[in-house]
Amino acid sequence: MSLIDLTPLLKELSYSDKLLLLHFLVAELLKESGLNPLEIQDRDNVASQGLYDSFEAAAVLAKALAEEKVPTHG
């Protein structure tokens, strides 16, 4: 299956699934290049890593959003 065949399917993925796919692809590229990511994880376990259950990441994001200064116009 080529990338052209996959593109319509990839566009249908949810935002979180696209992030998981990106994580998987980066891990594969690192592995193929002989580089080791900071956390080596089983590629079959990528979907269960928990973008849905990452409370620590949610807290960091909430803090960053709270600290973000919204520019005012006018």
Side-chain angles (χ1 to χ4, degrees):
M1 184 174 279
S2 71
L3 183 57
I4 293 172
D5 297 330
L6 289 174
T7 301
L9 298 173
L10 296 174
K11 287 183 178 184
E12 293 178 16
L13 292 175
S14 68
Y15 181 82
S16 59
D17 284 342
K18 287 176 183 175
L19 287 174
L20 288 170
L21 176 62
L22 180 62
H23 181 274
F24 168 77
L25 292 172
V26 168
E28 287 294 306
L29 288 170
L30 287 172
K31 188 179 1 175
E32 288 177 13
S33 67
L35 300 173
N36 292 323
L38 293 176
E39 293 182 26
I40 299 174
Q41 298 174 351
D42 182 21
R43 68 179 174 170
D44 297 327
N45 195 24
V46 170
S48 66
Q49 287 183 34
L51 283 180
Y52 303 105
D53 299 326
S54 182
F55 299 108
E56 183 180 343
V60 170
L61 177 59
K63 181 180 176 187
L65 289 173
E67 292 173 353
E68 180 179 325
K69 294 181 181 174
V70 179
T72 56
H73 302 286

